[in-house]
Amino acid sequence: MKDKGVPSIMVKLTSFLFFILFTVACYLWFIVSSYDTFNSLFSEELVVDFSKGAMYALGAGTASLLIVFIAAYQSIKKCDLSKKQEGIVVKVLILSIVLMFVFPIIVHFAVNKMTVAKGYYECEEMSYQWLLYRKIVYVKNDVVCSNLIRDKEI
């Protein structure tokens, strides 16, 4: 007879794989977006894209990674977490949530300061926001901004 409160092995495996893929996707989005932004900035390209939404992925990926570690630990050990381990997990989870909402703000201020110092300004017509996701396009001059707007309309 099956236990009603215990999920099947297929549900456990599917959930575990989902969180692994989600973790990898979050970290990849964060790394690729950060690399693109800072590479463009330090290479002094005419356009620098900053995805503030990708910065939220660092905290989300950290929380998801914690879930993966807990699932793997409990699967291997076949036991629940101790009270001390639960306390650590709660602290790391709270830290990742704080990281998710504070880190993008800090990075945005830093990127904005660096772009202004290097002579960039925001091309507001090309920047956009949807809920917490915000993409900011910095350019070196008006001609580049105008060309981006023209290319977008085509």
Side-chain angles (χ1 to χ4, degrees), residues 5-35:
V6 179
S8 71
I9 190 74
M10 189 57 118
V11 169
K12 289 179 182 180
L13 186 60
T14 304
S15 300
F16 187 71
L17 289 174
F18 168 78
F19 280 104
I20 287 175
L21 290 174
F22 182 74
T23 301
V24 169
C26 284
Y27 283 130
L28 274 176
W29 187 26
F30 170 74
I31 290 168
V32 168
S33 181
S34 297
Y35 176 80

PDB file of all heavy atoms in Angstrom, residues 5-35:
ATOM      1  N   GLY A   5       0.990  10.569   1.894  1.00  0.00           N
ATOM      2  CA  GLY A   5       1.714  11.831   2.026  1.00  0.00           C
ATOM      3  C   GLY A   5       3.084  11.833   1.378  1.00  0.00           C
ATOM      4  O   GLY A   5       3.752  12.857   1.327  1.00  0.00           O
ATOM      5  N   VAL A   6       3.531  10.701   0.842  1.00  0.00           N
ATOM      6  CA  VAL A   6       4.869  10.603   0.265  1.00  0.00           C
ATOM      7  C   VAL A   6       4.766  10.649  -1.262  1.00  0.00           C
ATOM      8  O   VAL A   6       4.088   9.828  -1.867  1.00  0.00           O
ATOM      9  CB  VAL A   6       5.550   9.288   0.717  1.00  0.00           C
ATOM     10  CG1 VAL A   6       6.927   9.178   0.096  1.00  0.00           C
ATOM     11  CG2 VAL A   6       5.630   9.226   2.225  1.00  0.00           C
ATOM     12  N   PRO A   7       5.462  11.603  -1.891  1.00  0.00           N
ATOM     13  CA  PRO A   7       5.411  11.678  -3.361  1.00  0.00           C
ATOM     14  C   PRO A   7       6.150  10.495  -3.999  1.00  0.00           C
ATOM     15  O   PRO A   7       7.083   9.942  -3.422  1.00  0.00           O
ATOM     16  CB  PRO A   7       6.091  12.997  -3.681  1.00  0.00           C
ATOM     17  CG  PRO A   7       6.826  13.400  -2.466  1.00  0.00           C
ATOM     18  CD  PRO A   7       6.235  12.684  -1.308  1.00  0.00           C
ATOM     19  N   SER A   8       5.742  10.165  -5.200  1.00  0.00           N
ATOM     20  CA  SER A   8       6.373   9.047  -5.918  1.00  0.00           C
ATOM     21  C   SER A   8       7.791   9.427  -6.341  1.00  0.00           C
ATOM     22  O   SER A   8       8.166  10.603  -6.357  1.00  0.00           O
ATOM     23  CB  SER A   8       5.544   8.693  -7.151  1.00  0.00           C
ATOM     24  OG  SER A   8       5.658   9.713  -8.120  1.00  0.00           O
ATOM     25  N   ILE A   9       8.548   8.436  -6.723  1.00  0.00           N
ATOM     26  CA  ILE A   9       9.934   8.662  -7.174  1.00  0.00           C
ATOM     27  C   ILE A   9       9.958   9.526  -8.433  1.00  0.00           C
ATOM     28  O   ILE A   9      10.852  10.347  -8.618  1.00  0.00           O
ATOM     29  CB  ILE A   9      10.689   7.327  -7.375  1.00  0.00           C
ATOM     30  CG1 ILE A   9      12.188   7.573  -7.605  1.00  0.00           C
ATOM     31  CG2 ILE A   9      10.127   6.557  -8.561  1.00  0.00           C
ATOM     32  CD1 ILE A   9      12.918   7.969  -6.386  1.00  0.00           C
ATOM     33  N   MET A  10       8.944   9.377  -9.281  1.00  0.00           N
ATOM     34  CA  MET A  10       8.877  10.175 -10.510  1.00  0.00           C
ATOM     35  C   MET A  10       8.647  11.653 -10.187  1.00  0.00           C
ATOM     36  O   MET A  10       9.267  12.532 -10.810  1.00  0.00           O
ATOM     37  CB  MET A  10       7.767   9.639 -11.415  1.00  0.00           C
ATOM     38  CG  MET A  10       7.801  10.276 -12.782  1.00  0.00           C
ATOM     39  SD  MET A  10       9.393  10.035 -13.550  1.00  0.00           S
ATOM     40  CE  MET A  10       8.927   9.100 -14.935  1.00  0.00           C
ATOM     41  N   VAL A  11       7.795  11.931  -9.219  1.00  0.00           N
ATOM     42  CA  VAL A  11       7.545  13.325  -8.806  1.00  0.00           C
ATOM     43  C   VAL A  11       8.817  13.911  -8.197  1.00  0.00           C
ATOM     44  O   VAL A  11       9.186  15.049  -8.490  1.00  0.00           O
ATOM     45  CB  VAL A  11       6.356  13.397  -7.816  1.00  0.00           C
ATOM     46  CG1 VAL A  11       6.255  14.770  -7.183  1.00  0.00           C
ATOM     47  CG2 VAL A  11       5.061  13.024  -8.504  1.00  0.00           C
ATOM     48  N   LYS A  12       9.486  13.135  -7.365  1.00  0.00           N
ATOM     49  CA  LYS A  12      10.727  13.609  -6.742  1.00  0.00           C
ATOM     50  C   LYS A  12      11.794  13.899  -7.795  1.00  0.00           C
ATOM     51  O   LYS A  12      12.455  14.937  -7.757  1.00  0.00           O
ATOM     52  CB  LYS A  12      11.260  12.572  -5.752  1.00  0.00           C
ATOM     53  CG  LYS A  12      10.445  12.440  -4.499  1.00  0.00           C
ATOM     54  CD  LYS A  12      11.059  11.377  -3.602  1.00  0.00           C
ATOM     55  CE  LYS A  12      10.250  11.160  -2.352  1.00  0.00           C
ATOM     56  NZ  LYS A  12      10.844  10.121  -1.492  1.00  0.00           N
ATOM     57  N   LEU A  13      11.951  12.977  -8.730  1.00  0.00           N
ATOM     58  CA  LEU A  13      12.959  13.134  -9.773  1.00  0.00           C
ATOM     59  C   LEU A  13      12.650  14.326 -10.682  1.00  0.00           C
ATOM     60  O   LEU A  13      13.539  15.126 -11.007  1.00  0.00           O
ATOM     61  CB  LEU A  13      13.071  11.855 -10.611  1.00  0.00           C
ATOM     62  CG  LEU A  13      14.177  11.822 -11.659  1.00  0.00           C
ATOM     63  CD1 LEU A  13      15.537  11.981 -11.004  1.00  0.00           C
ATOM     64  CD2 LEU A  13      14.110  10.543 -12.464  1.00  0.00           C
ATOM     65  N   THR A  14      11.393  14.477 -11.061  1.00  0.00           N
ATOM     66  CA  THR A  14      10.982  15.604 -11.908  1.00  0.00           C
ATOM     67  C   THR A  14      11.221  16.939 -11.191  1.00  0.00           C
ATOM     68  O   THR A  14      11.739  17.889 -11.791  1.00  0.00           O
ATOM     69  CB  THR A  14       9.501  15.474 -12.306  1.00  0.00           C
ATOM     70  OG1 THR A  14       9.307  14.215 -12.938  1.00  0.00           O
ATOM     71  CG2 THR A  14       9.070  16.582 -13.229  1.00  0.00           C
ATOM     72  N   SER A  15      10.870  17.000  -9.918  1.00  0.00           N
ATOM     73  CA  SER A  15      11.089  18.229  -9.142  1.00  0.00           C
ATOM     74  C   SER A  15      12.571  18.547  -9.027  1.00  0.00           C
ATOM     75  O   SER A  15      12.989  19.699  -9.184  1.00  0.00           O
ATOM     76  CB  SER A  15      10.486  18.081  -7.741  1.00  0.00           C
ATOM     77  OG  SER A  15       9.114  17.847  -7.818  1.00  0.00           O
ATOM     78  N   PHE A  16      13.359  17.515  -8.743  1.00  0.00           N
ATOM     79  CA  PHE A  16      14.803  17.697  -8.608  1.00  0.00           C
ATOM     80  C   PHE A  16      15.404  18.213  -9.908  1.00  0.00           C
ATOM     81  O   PHE A  16      16.186  19.178  -9.909  1.00  0.00           O
ATOM     82  CB  PHE A  16      15.438  16.364  -8.190  1.00  0.00           C
ATOM     83  CG  PHE A  16      16.891  16.465  -7.850  1.00  0.00           C
ATOM     84  CD1 PHE A  16      17.316  17.106  -6.700  1.00  0.00           C
ATOM     85  CD2 PHE A  16      17.851  15.905  -8.683  1.00  0.00           C
ATOM     86  CE1 PHE A  16      18.667  17.200  -6.382  1.00  0.00           C
ATOM     87  CE2 PHE A  16      19.197  15.989  -8.381  1.00  0.00           C
ATOM     88  CZ  PHE A  16      19.609  16.630  -7.223  1.00  0.00           C
ATOM     89  N   LEU A  17      15.027  17.611 -11.033  1.00  0.00           N
ATOM     90  CA  LEU A  17      15.534  18.046 -12.336  1.00  0.00           C
ATOM     91  C   LEU A  17      15.085  19.467 -12.664  1.00  0.00           C
ATOM     92  O   LEU A  17      15.851  20.254 -13.228  1.00  0.00           O
ATOM     93  CB  LEU A  17      15.105  17.082 -13.435  1.00  0.00           C
ATOM     94  CG  LEU A  17      15.791  15.716 -13.412  1.00  0.00           C
ATOM     95  CD1 LEU A  17      15.171  14.792 -14.468  1.00  0.00           C
ATOM     96  CD2 LEU A  17      17.280  15.858 -13.613  1.00  0.00           C
ATOM     97  N   PHE A  18      13.832  19.794 -12.316  1.00  0.00           N
ATOM     98  CA  PHE A  18      13.344  21.157 -12.547  1.00  0.00           C
ATOM     99  C   PHE A  18      14.215  22.167 -11.814  1.00  0.00           C
ATOM    100  O   PHE A  18      14.635  23.178 -12.392  1.00  0.00           O
ATOM    101  CB  PHE A  18      11.883  21.305 -12.104  1.00  0.00           C
ATOM    102  CG  PHE A  18      11.434  22.736 -12.052  1.00  0.00           C
ATOM    103  CD1 PHE A  18      11.101  23.412 -13.216  1.00  0.00           C
ATOM    104  CD2 PHE A  18      11.383  23.425 -10.851  1.00  0.00           C
ATOM    105  CE1 PHE A  18      10.715  24.746 -13.182  1.00  0.00           C
ATOM    106  CE2 PHE A  18      10.995  24.750 -10.801  1.00  0.00           C
ATOM    107  CZ  PHE A  18      10.661  25.413 -11.966  1.00  0.00           C
ATOM    108  N   PHE A  19      14.485  21.918 -10.538  1.00  0.00           N
ATOM    109  CA  PHE A  19      15.272  22.874  -9.761  1.00  0.00           C
ATOM    110  C   PHE A  19      16.723  22.937 -10.237  1.00  0.00           C
ATOM    111  O   PHE A  19      17.349  24.005 -10.185  1.00  0.00           O
ATOM    112  CB  PHE A  19      15.182  22.577  -8.263  1.00  0.00           C
ATOM    113  CG  PHE A  19      13.918  23.098  -7.650  1.00  0.00           C
ATOM    114  CD1 PHE A  19      12.884  22.243  -7.339  1.00  0.00           C
ATOM    115  CD2 PHE A  19      13.740  24.450  -7.427  1.00  0.00           C
ATOM    116  CE1 PHE A  19      11.704  22.719  -6.790  1.00  0.00           C
ATOM    117  CE2 PHE A  19      12.580  24.952  -6.885  1.00  0.00           C
ATOM    118  CZ  PHE A  19      11.544  24.081  -6.565  1.00  0.00           C
ATOM    119  N   ILE A  20      17.264  21.836 -10.708  1.00  0.00           N
ATOM    120  CA  ILE A  20      18.617  21.872 -11.276  1.00  0.00           C
ATOM    121  C   ILE A  20      18.625  22.745 -12.532  1.00  0.00           C
ATOM    122  O   ILE A  20      19.490  23.617 -12.685  1.00  0.00           O
ATOM    123  CB  ILE A  20      19.128  20.451 -11.589  1.00  0.00           C
ATOM    124  CG1 ILE A  20      19.479  19.722 -10.303  1.00  0.00           C
ATOM    125  CG2 ILE A  20      20.351  20.505 -12.505  1.00  0.00           C
ATOM    126  CD1 ILE A  20      19.880  18.277 -10.491  1.00  0.00           C
ATOM    127  N   LEU A  21      17.675  22.519 -13.426  1.00  0.00           N
ATOM    128  CA  LEU A  21      17.604  23.322 -14.654  1.00  0.00           C
ATOM    129  C   LEU A  21      17.342  24.790 -14.351  1.00  0.00           C
ATOM    130  O   LEU A  21      17.932  25.679 -14.978  1.00  0.00           O
ATOM    131  CB  LEU A  21      16.525  22.768 -15.589  1.00  0.00           C
ATOM    132  CG  LEU A  21      16.845  21.418 -16.218  1.00  0.00           C
ATOM    133  CD1 LEU A  21      15.637  20.900 -17.005  1.00  0.00           C
ATOM    134  CD2 LEU A  21      18.059  21.512 -17.109  1.00  0.00           C
ATOM    135  N   PHE A  22      16.466  25.053 -13.395  1.00  0.00           N
ATOM    136  CA  PHE A  22      16.163  26.430 -13.006  1.00  0.00           C
ATOM    137  C   PHE A  22      17.411  27.113 -12.445  1.00  0.00           C
ATOM    138  O   PHE A  22      17.707  28.267 -12.775  1.00  0.00           O
ATOM    139  CB  PHE A  22      15.018  26.465 -11.986  1.00  0.00           C
ATOM    140  CG  PHE A  22      14.618  27.848 -11.574  1.00  0.00           C
ATOM    141  CD1 PHE A  22      13.903  28.662 -12.434  1.00  0.00           C
ATOM    142  CD2 PHE A  22      14.969  28.346 -10.326  1.00  0.00           C
ATOM    143  CE1 PHE A  22      13.532  29.949 -12.057  1.00  0.00           C
ATOM    144  CE2 PHE A  22      14.604  29.627  -9.943  1.00  0.00           C
ATOM    145  CZ  PHE A  22      13.886  30.430 -10.808  1.00  0.00           C
ATOM    146  N   THR A  23      18.156  26.396 -11.605  1.00  0.00           N
ATOM    147  CA  THR A  23      19.389  26.944 -11.029  1.00  0.00           C
ATOM    148  C   THR A  23      20.402  27.275 -12.119  1.00  0.00           C
ATOM    149  O   THR A  23      20.972  28.369 -12.145  1.00  0.00           O
ATOM    150  CB  THR A  23      20.010  25.939 -10.031  1.00  0.00           C
ATOM    151  OG1 THR A  23      19.058  25.673  -9.001  1.00  0.00           O
ATOM    152  CG2 THR A  23      21.283  26.481  -9.422  1.00  0.00           C
ATOM    153  N   VAL A  24      20.605  26.338 -13.026  1.00  0.00           N
ATOM    154  CA  VAL A  24      21.551  26.552 -14.126  1.00  0.00           C
ATOM    155  C   VAL A  24      21.107  27.736 -14.995  1.00  0.00           C
ATOM    156  O   VAL A  24      21.923  28.591 -15.362  1.00  0.00           O
ATOM    157  CB  VAL A  24      21.714  25.268 -14.972  1.00  0.00           C
ATOM    158  CG1 VAL A  24      22.476  25.548 -16.253  1.00  0.00           C
ATOM    159  CG2 VAL A  24      22.396  24.179 -14.158  1.00  0.00           C
ATOM    160  N   ALA A  25      19.812  27.808 -15.295  1.00  0.00           N
ATOM    161  CA  ALA A  25      19.293  28.911 -16.114  1.00  0.00           C
ATOM    162  C   ALA A  25      19.500  30.261 -15.423  1.00  0.00           C
ATOM    163  O   ALA A  25      19.917  31.237 -16.067  1.00  0.00           O
ATOM    164  CB  ALA A  25      17.813  28.688 -16.421  1.00  0.00           C
ATOM    165  N   CYS A  26      19.239  30.326 -14.127  1.00  0.00           N
ATOM    166  CA  CYS A  26      19.422  31.579 -13.387  1.00  0.00           C
ATOM    167  C   CYS A  26      20.875  32.028 -13.412  1.00  0.00           C
ATOM    168  O   CYS A  26      21.175  33.187 -13.711  1.00  0.00           O
ATOM    169  CB  CYS A  26      18.964  31.411 -11.941  1.00  0.00           C
ATOM    170  SG  CYS A  26      17.181  31.397 -11.723  1.00  0.00           S
ATOM    171  N   TYR A  27      21.781  31.093 -13.094  1.00  0.00           N
ATOM    172  CA  TYR A  27      23.192  31.456 -13.073  1.00  0.00           C
ATOM    173  C   TYR A  27      23.715  31.796 -14.465  1.00  0.00           C
ATOM    174  O   TYR A  27      24.513  32.721 -14.621  1.00  0.00           O
ATOM    175  CB  TYR A  27      24.039  30.357 -12.431  1.00  0.00           C
ATOM    176  CG  TYR A  27      23.930  30.350 -10.912  1.00  0.00           C
ATOM    177  CD1 TYR A  27      23.657  29.183 -10.224  1.00  0.00           C
ATOM    178  CD2 TYR A  27      24.106  31.507 -10.177  1.00  0.00           C
ATOM    179  CE1 TYR A  27      23.565  29.176  -8.835  1.00  0.00           C
ATOM    180  CE2 TYR A  27      24.017  31.515  -8.798  1.00  0.00           C
ATOM    181  CZ  TYR A  27      23.748  30.343  -8.128  1.00  0.00           C
ATOM    182  OH  TYR A  27      23.654  30.347  -6.767  1.00  0.00           O
ATOM    183  N   LEU A  28      23.266  31.083 -15.480  1.00  0.00           N
ATOM    184  CA  LEU A  28      23.692  31.402 -16.849  1.00  0.00           C
ATOM    185  C   LEU A  28      23.210  32.786 -17.263  1.00  0.00           C
ATOM    186  O   LEU A  28      23.978  33.564 -17.855  1.00  0.00           O
ATOM    187  CB  LEU A  28      23.173  30.355 -17.832  1.00  0.00           C
ATOM    188  CG  LEU A  28      24.029  29.119 -18.003  1.00  0.00           C
ATOM    189  CD1 LEU A  28      23.346  28.133 -18.940  1.00  0.00           C
ATOM    190  CD2 LEU A  28      25.403  29.462 -18.523  1.00  0.00           C
ATOM    191  N   TRP A  29      21.938  33.092 -16.992  1.00  0.00           N
ATOM    192  CA  TRP A  29      21.405  34.406 -17.336  1.00  0.00           C
ATOM    193  C   TRP A  29      22.189  35.499 -16.625  1.00  0.00           C
ATOM    194  O   TRP A  29      22.573  36.506 -17.229  1.00  0.00           O
ATOM    195  CB  TRP A  29      19.923  34.468 -16.987  1.00  0.00           C
ATOM    196  CG  TRP A  29      19.225  35.718 -17.436  1.00  0.00           C
ATOM    197  CD1 TRP A  29      19.557  36.537 -18.470  1.00  0.00           C
ATOM    198  CD2 TRP A  29      18.052  36.294 -16.859  1.00  0.00           C
ATOM    199  NE1 TRP A  29      18.661  37.587 -18.571  1.00  0.00           N
ATOM    200  CE2 TRP A  29      17.732  37.451 -17.587  1.00  0.00           C
ATOM    201  CE3 TRP A  29      17.237  35.933 -15.793  1.00  0.00           C
ATOM    202  CZ2 TRP A  29      16.641  38.249 -17.281  1.00  0.00           C
ATOM    203  CZ3 TRP A  29      16.139  36.732 -15.496  1.00  0.00           C
ATOM    204  CH2 TRP A  29      15.855  37.877 -16.247  1.00  0.00           C
ATOM    205  N   PHE A  30      22.461  35.294 -15.345  1.00  0.00           N
ATOM    206  CA  PHE A  30      23.211  36.274 -14.571  1.00  0.00           C
ATOM    207  C   PHE A  30      24.626  36.453 -15.131  1.00  0.00           C
ATOM    208  O   PHE A  30      25.083  37.571 -15.367  1.00  0.00           O
ATOM    209  CB  PHE A  30      23.272  35.861 -13.098  1.00  0.00           C
ATOM    210  CG  PHE A  30      24.221  36.681 -12.284  1.00  0.00           C
ATOM    211  CD1 PHE A  30      23.895  37.976 -11.922  1.00  0.00           C
ATOM    212  CD2 PHE A  30      25.449  36.173 -11.906  1.00  0.00           C
ATOM    213  CE1 PHE A  30      24.784  38.756 -11.190  1.00  0.00           C
ATOM    214  CE2 PHE A  30      26.339  36.935 -11.176  1.00  0.00           C
ATOM    215  CZ  PHE A  30      26.007  38.229 -10.814  1.00  0.00           C
ATOM    216  N   ILE A  31      25.323  35.340 -15.372  1.00  0.00           N
ATOM    217  CA  ILE A  31      26.713  35.404 -15.834  1.00  0.00           C
ATOM    218  C   ILE A  31      26.822  36.007 -17.229  1.00  0.00           C
ATOM    219  O   ILE A  31      27.636  36.896 -17.470  1.00  0.00           O
ATOM    220  CB  ILE A  31      27.361  34.009 -15.782  1.00  0.00           C
ATOM    221  CG1 ILE A  31      27.556  33.586 -14.318  1.00  0.00           C
ATOM    222  CG2 ILE A  31      28.689  33.981 -16.522  1.00  0.00           C
ATOM    223  CD1 ILE A  31      27.909  32.125 -14.145  1.00  0.00           C
ATOM    224  N   VAL A  32      25.986  35.539 -18.152  1.00  0.00           N
ATOM    225  CA  VAL A  32      26.044  36.039 -19.530  1.00  0.00           C
ATOM    226  C   VAL A  32      25.692  37.520 -19.586  1.00  0.00           C
ATOM    227  O   VAL A  32      26.370  38.313 -20.257  1.00  0.00           O
ATOM    228  CB  VAL A  32      25.128  35.208 -20.454  1.00  0.00           C
ATOM    229  CG1 VAL A  32      24.957  35.870 -21.803  1.00  0.00           C
ATOM    230  CG2 VAL A  32      25.678  33.798 -20.613  1.00  0.00           C
ATOM    231  N   SER A  33      24.656  37.914 -18.862  1.00  0.00           N
ATOM    232  CA  SER A  33      24.247  39.315 -18.867  1.00  0.00           C
ATOM    233  C   SER A  33      25.305  40.209 -18.222  1.00  0.00           C
ATOM    234  O   SER A  33      25.623  41.288 -18.737  1.00  0.00           O
ATOM    235  CB  SER A  33      22.912  39.476 -18.139  1.00  0.00           C
ATOM    236  OG  SER A  33      22.513  40.810 -18.153  1.00  0.00           O
ATOM    237  N   SER A  34      25.864  39.761 -17.105  1.00  0.00           N
ATOM    238  CA  SER A  34      26.911  40.545 -16.436  1.00  0.00           C
ATOM    239  C   SER A  34      28.138  40.677 -17.323  1.00  0.00           C
ATOM    240  O   SER A  34      28.715  41.760 -17.447  1.00  0.00           O
ATOM    241  CB  SER A  34      27.306  39.885 -15.114  1.00  0.00           C
ATOM    242  OG  SER A  34      26.222  39.852 -14.239  1.00  0.00           O
ATOM    243  N   TYR A  35      28.541  39.559 -17.925  1.00  0.00           N
ATOM    244  CA  TYR A  35      29.701  39.585 -18.818  1.00  0.00           C
ATOM    245  C   TYR A  35      29.462  40.543 -19.979  1.00  0.00           C
ATOM    246  O   TYR A  35      30.330  41.351 -20.320  1.00  0.00           O
ATOM    247  CB  TYR A  35      30.011  38.180 -19.344  1.00  0.00           C
ATOM    248  CG  TYR A  35      31.132  38.177 -20.343  1.00  0.00           C
ATOM    249  CD1 TYR A  35      32.461  38.236 -19.926  1.00  0.00           C
ATOM    250  CD2 TYR A  35      30.868  38.163 -21.713  1.00  0.00           C
ATOM    251  CE1 TYR A  35      33.499  38.269 -20.838  1.00  0.00           C
ATOM    252  CE2 TYR A  35      31.901  38.187 -22.634  1.00  0.00           C
ATOM    253  CZ  TYR A  35      33.203  38.244 -22.196  1.00  0.00           C
ATOM    254  OH  TYR A  35      34.231  38.285 -23.118  1.00  0.00           O
TER     255      TYR A  35
END
